[in-house]
Amino acid sequence: HTTGPSLNNDKLYKFAYTAEVYVGSVKASLQRSAGYRFSSGVDVNLLWRNPENDDDQLVKIMIRDVQVETVNERPADKNIFKGKSTEKIIGKEYLEALQRPIVVELTRGKVKNFYSYQNEPAFTQNIKRGLASLFQLQLHSGSAPEVDISGKCDTTYNVRQDQVTKIKALDSCEREKHGFTSHNPILDVSSKSTSATTYVLEDSFIKSAKAEENYVFVLNSRRKTGSKIVSKQRLELKSIQAGPGLMAGKQVAGVIKTLDSSYVALSLVAEPVKSECKKCPSLSEHWQSIREHMYPDKLSNAEAVRSFLSFIQNIRKATKEEILQIIRSENKELLPQMVDAVTSAQTPASLEAVLDFLDFKDASASLLQERFLYACGFASHPTEMLLKSLTDKFKGDIANEEIRETVVIVMGALIRKLCEREGCKLPAVLEAKRLILNRLEKAKKDDNVRMYLLALKNALLPEAIPLLLKYAESEEGPISNLAATALQRYDPSFLTKEVKETMNRIYHQNRRVHEKTVRTTAAAIILNSNPSYMEVKNILLSIGELPLEMSKYMLSMIQDILHFEMPSSKTVRRVLKDMRTHNYDRFSKTGSSSAYSGYITRGPDVSSTYSLDILYSGSGILRRSNLNIRIFDRNAELHASQVVIEAQGLESIIAATPDEGEENLDSFAGMSAILFDVQLRPVTFFQGYGDLMSKMLSATGDSMNVVKGLILLTDYSQEIQLQSGPSASMEFLGGLAIDISGGMEFSLWYRESKTNVKNRVATFVSGNAEVDSFFVKTGMETTLEVETSLDFISTVQFSQYPFLVCMQMDRVESPFRHYVTKYESLPSGRRYTAKGGKAVLLAGNEYPLHQENSNMCKQVFSAKSESSSNWF
């Protein structure tokens, strides 16, 4: 009784074999895909059967009459294989290797040994491995791990009479995997793979076998955009003829040696194969071809991002010396963009090159150092080596104090990213955590405290929460505020009873007087972390007892929770049923402060929201404006950006009285930004009364740059071994050119202040699915690009009370382009391409804020037009 397929003695089984590969769009039919077909005859005969075990057989398999052709019918001028012989396409040496026979030892239907010639090209061996894997099957239902060309995979057999179905769980395959994924799921790619083979048996041997593998990859942020790779194999028995007789022998090794001493036993698992690029440009040639797109004034164009991404791919193949050569030869204007790309490549060679090039003891090169550090912070798959390099730099000499601050802030971001990938116990992570926590506890100067708190705001370490609570409650001004906003970034699941109690004490000022900014942050933390009925009730009861503008702000926050259906809205509604909390006195507070949330987009895949809150002091001067943009999908969230403008101690300019707890604040205005979950180093507009007056007198209204550069966002690369032999790869790269600037203007003459935050953005995503069979490459490239600008302007007129505030949030008209290119190419340079796509203009939009704001804007602009007409 045999448990595997059994061949008859002295017979030659002649099969027809085809292997097809298709690459195309996810929803497109296979007829519209790119690809090729490999077909051949296959001769199979039994060489030896173990005299003591019928289930142990040596089978010889030989490929002959090889042909390669296009998989879909095409006109002659679009068929790259037309008029080319198989020898021309594959190459004489490879064709000879392909037609050399292999021998497999089948034991109970499984390939125990795979014998071939040692010095054969890996790619021809893989085609033979793919064919040999088809002869492996068991004749009873059940599941077990099985080794084939894909690796060691969980395989399930379903047997019904003469039909066998084999399902291979591709996700379970154990083999050396190459590739990486993006840091945040929203920016990443989802993949799904299936593999099934159906056998029809006759006389206990294979009559036909049909195998199909499917790989599908889609962008999480836009599931319409993706690629699929399909690999099909078909083996059909055409005839059975008289064949050579069996060989004598008791042991497999002896039989193989007699047959051909050159045979060696090889693994059935595929060997890695990478074809060399013969006509690819060198790194410096590539840089010269894209250089013109990388000038600072062109960075808001999608072409700049496309060039940046293609350059990263090239840097990843380059040596340290090649990279250093081009960095050292470039001018000052283009160097920052080059540093962005070299750092984003994230290879050991690129990191060594950029660290060799940058001298942190040189204060004059701070712009390049900052661009390097931010590119590290946005790293898509950071390594322990990167964090260790920054820790070493921080311990060494850094000439510029702001760069020193940025190093430790970015270390915080890298700690979080490595911890989220289960790297919290890595030596470099433990060392960096210790350094930040220990130095914060010992820090005496406010600037140092602030620097380590910013690092913790990025690291989000659970063990840092007690320290943050201490600084939030016991310190004053910016330090207390920074500690509170750091706590606000934690997931609510980390916010323990102790955190909530401290936030309640700060908000209700149980132990000491706190500034409005810290109190409102404390209230936001309470309301966003599953508040109890009493917590909500106490906050609502406080409205009316608070300073005027703070009362209005808290009221807006509560109304926003209700209108935007935030998680705590049910509890708020329950509390509002009580007339003591919900009455006219409380809900009719006047003032200009506000909080409002809305949707930028709502899509089937992802949605993005904006929230804008503005808090004023009682004298009408801006205390804080906070604009947040978040992106969500069903399972994840990404804090895409936050721009906070803060001002304090400006009452003396307009001879107004400061609010309670803010009498001794130094004059200050500045801006802080979070970009893709990374807190950047805050920017100061002015510090101190003297600095303020000099800047006001020389004010030009120019914006101050907060962040400018190129960022790699989506970074996905996977190598796939197809069952038919060739290797495939899937790469998605997405980048962003960003320019965020902000400014604050005062006019004492018109008693008006204006803040302006400009977000100029260009994004580009490219996905490339490719099957590389050495003698032919086939694939599909998908690209998406969009250029847009989001402006947020806030105008305040404090010539009267209540003062007039008008907020505007506008997005300009934005071009959106989507292209798909399918291709097939031969090493000779012969190439077929088919292109398709569309370009549309997305309409501009002024985002709605609350009705009060619209009413005030009408007043502000009517007042402006009147004052201009009454000038003479």
Side-chain angles (χ1 to χ4, degrees), residues 647-664:
Q648 64 175 40
L650 305 184
E651 282 74 15
S652 52
I653 306 171
I654 56 169
T657 310
D659 290 350
E660 177 195 25
E662 301 183 1
E663 297 85 359
N664 304 321

Side-chain angles (χ1 to χ4, degrees), residues 441-623:
E441 286 191 0
K442 291 173 187 161
K444 296 283 183 280
K445 283 166 62 183
D446 275 6
D447 282 356
N448 285 343
V449 171
R450 194 180 70 131
M451 170 169 85
Y452 295 117
L453 284 176
L454 283 163
L456 290 180
K457 191 172 176 180
N458 269 335
L460 298 182
L461 299 170
E463 60 265 44
I465 290 176
L467 259 176
L468 293 171
L469 288 175
K470 182 188 101 177
Y471 281 105
E473 192 170 21
S474 61
E475 290 296 324
E476 294 185 354
I479 301 274
S480 157
N481 191 22
L482 180 52
T485 57
L487 287 163
Q488 195 175 11
R489 291 197 69 204
Y490 280 82
D491 187 86
S493 59
F494 287 104
L495 303 179
T496 56
K497 184 165 165 267
E498 188 191 358
V499 175
K500 304 258 299 265
E501 283 170 356
T502 309
M503 293 302 112
N504 275 296
R505 283 198 302 271
I506 290 172
Y507 177 73
H508 295 292
Q509 304 194 109
N510 297 134
R511 289 188 179 168
R512 53 177 295 182
V513 172
H514 292 277
E515 289 173 43
K516 288 196 293 292
T517 46
V518 185
R519 292 180 70 191
T520 50
T521 302
I525 292 171
I526 296 163
L527 292 168
N528 284 337
S529 50
N530 193 18
S532 68
Y533 181 89
M534 279 315 292
E535 283 175 325
V536 174
K537 185 173 180 178
N538 286 337
I539 285 175
L540 276 160
L541 287 172
S542 71
I543 297 173
E545 315 299 320
L546 304 169
L548 215 61
E549 282 298 329
M550 190 174 161
S551 268
K552 181 70 173 80
Y553 179 85
M554 290 306 300
L555 192 60
S556 285
M557 194 194 278
I558 295 290
Q559 286 164 334
D560 193 39
I561 288 169
L562 295 173
H563 111 91
F564 207 60
E565 292 294 339
M566 290 179 195
S568 56
S569 58
K570 285 180 183 163
T571 313
V572 172
R573 282 198 175 89
R574 270 177 57 218
V575 174
L576 289 177
K577 286 177 181 167
D578 181 350
M579 293 307 289
R580 277 172 303 175
T581 53
H582 191 189
N583 55 46
Y584 179 78
D585 180 47
R586 228 176 286 290
F587 276 72
S588 62
K589 296 297 172 198
T590 56
S592 304
S593 299
S594 64
Y596 188 84
S597 303
Y599 280 98
I600 294 177
T601 56
R602 292 182 88 163
D605 306 320
V606 293
S607 297
S608 57
T609 62
Y610 64 92
S611 67
L612 178 60
D613 56 87
I614 295 208
L615 176 63
Y616 292 95
S617 64
S619 53
I621 290 180
L622 176 83
R623 266 308 256 120

Side-chain angles (χ1 to χ4, degrees), residues 649-650 652-653 666-668 686-694:
L650 305 184
S652 52
I653 306 171
D666 200 10
S667 300
F668 164 84
F686 55 78
Q687 175 92 47
Y689 189 70
D691 189 22
L692 162 64
M693 292 319 287
S694 72

Side-chain angles (χ1 to χ4, degrees), residues 197 307 328 422 565 587:
T197 310
S307 303
R328 287 181 172 145
E422 294 168 4
E565 292 294 339
F587 276 72

Side-chain angles (χ1 to χ4, degrees), residues 231-449:
S231 164
K232 291 186 176 193
Q233 286 169 287
R234 178 176 290 197
L235 189 66
E236 268 187 272
L237 182 61
K238 290 297 181 190
S239 65
I240 303 174
Q241 302 173 4
L246 295 189
M247 293 178 69
K250 287 190 175 180
Q251 299 293 327
V252 169
V255 177
I256 292 290
K257 200 164 187 186
T258 309
L259 181 69
D260 189 336
S261 59
S262 304
Y263 272 130
V264 287
L266 299 170
S267 166
L268 195 56
V269 180
E271 287 175 66
V273 177
K274 254 298 179 239
S275 59
E276 290 299 311
C277 185
K278 292 190 173 68
K279 293 179 184 173
C280 285
S282 69
L283 192 64
S284 59
E285 285 168 345
H286 184 206
W287 173 250
Q288 290 307 318
S289 71
I290 61 167
R291 196 171 171 271
E292 63 177 293
H293 302 299
M294 305 300 267
Y295 280 93
D297 57 338
K298 293 188 178 174
L299 284 193
S300 51
N301 300 336
E303 192 53 55
V305 195
R306 178 203 285 268
S307 303
F308 166 68
L309 296 178
S310 68
F311 192 44
I312 287 174
Q313 283 176 302
N314 227 329
I315 296 168
R316 285 180 170 165
K317 299 170 196 155
T319 63
K320 175 184 167 182
E321 287 66 35
E322 288 172 312
I323 299 167
L324 271 171
Q325 187 188 344
I326 60 162
I327 302 184
R328 287 181 172 145
S329 62
E330 202 37 271
N331 67 34
K332 277 186 179 172
E333 210 178 353
L334 289 164
L335 263 176
Q337 289 72 261
M338 193 180 267
V339 167
D340 287 341
V342 172
T343 313
S344 299
Q346 298 169 72
T347 63
S350 65
L351 178 61
E352 283 174 30
V354 75
L355 285 172
D356 264 21
F357 174 70
L358 293 173
D359 179 7
F360 281 78
K361 293 171 189 163
D362 176 7
S364 66
S366 61
L367 171 66
L368 292 180
Q369 293 159 18
E370 186 171 70
R371 289 287 273 267
F372 159 71
L373 291 168
Y374 283 148
C376 292
F378 296 127
S380 53
H381 50 275
T383 58
E384 187 186 11
M385 180 182 162
L386 176 59
L387 179 58
K388 185 162 182 13
S389 306
L390 292 194
T391 310
D392 292 345
K393 281 278 172 262
F394 185 70
K395 289 175 174 173
D397 290 341
I398 299 176
N400 183 313
E401 201 47 48
E402 287 183 346
I403 293 299
R404 185 178 160 72
E405 201 176 313
T406 309
V407 171
V408 80
I409 292 171
V410 168
M411 279 165 61
L414 293 177
I415 289 170
R416 185 178 86 248
K417 287 186 174 184
L418 287 164
C419 279
E420 284 174 356
R421 295 212 162 183
E422 294 168 4
C424 244
K425 298 279 189 285
L426 293 169
V429 178
L430 292 171
E431 185 192 2
K433 285 203 291 193
R434 256 196 319 272
L435 183 142
I436 293 168
L437 291 167
N438 291 349
R439 294 205 181 180
L440 174 58
E441 286 191 0
K442 291 173 187 161
K444 296 283 183 280
K445 283 166 62 183
D446 275 6
D447 282 356
N448 285 343
V449 171

